[in-house]
Each structure stands twice: as structure tokens, then as C-alpha cells.
Amino acid sequence: MREPHGFPVLLAETFVDPSRFGGICYRASIWRRLGLTKGFFRLPGGSARWRRNGQPKEIYMREL
């Protein structure tokens, strides 16, 4: 794998909105479901500002 910051890339992650998609393609291609997020989104701007939107996403991870 390519090492963009001097470290090997070991994992890939993705987020799926379960109200719109089932994540079936990820599960079929050996991605592991880790659980749900707490339902926040990041506001635009320089500082890390977060706001709850009440729409948790499923987190999937795959070892590379």
C-alpha cells in the first residue's frame, strides 16, 4: 500500500446511512460492521464544531 504520511495504510472505513441503504455490498465484500455513530455532523468552518442530527450511520471497516 502507499504510505502518504510515512505510515502504512492498514484499514479503510466507510459510513452508511441505514435509513437509505442496507450496507449489503459492504457486508458481501468482507467489510466488518463495527456499530453505529452517535449521529453528529461537522459544521463548516475552521474549528471542529459538531451538531447532533439524530441520524446515526453504520460504520464499516476493512483490513487492507
Side-chain angles (χ1 to χ4, degrees), residues 31-43:
W31 287 72
R32 189 177 351 183
R33 183 182 180 274
L34 298 179
L36 292 171
T37 66
K38 294 189 182 258
F40 282 80
F41 71 97
R42 187 172 178 164
L43 295 169

Side-chain angles (χ1 to χ4, degrees), residues 10-56:
L10 302 176
L11 300 172
E13 67 176 3
T14 189
F15 300 89
V16 175
D17 184 348
S19 69
R20 299 179 61 199
F21 305 102
I24 294 168
C25 292
Y26 288 109
R27 286 184 269 160
S29 36
I30 316 171
W31 287 72
R32 189 177 351 183
R33 183 182 180 274
L34 298 179
L36 292 171
T37 66
K38 294 189 182 258
F40 282 80
F41 71 97
R42 187 172 178 164
L43 295 169
S47 64
R49 296 176 297 167
W50 300 87
R51 181 166 295 152
R52 182 179 294 276
N53 66 2
Q55 298 175 345

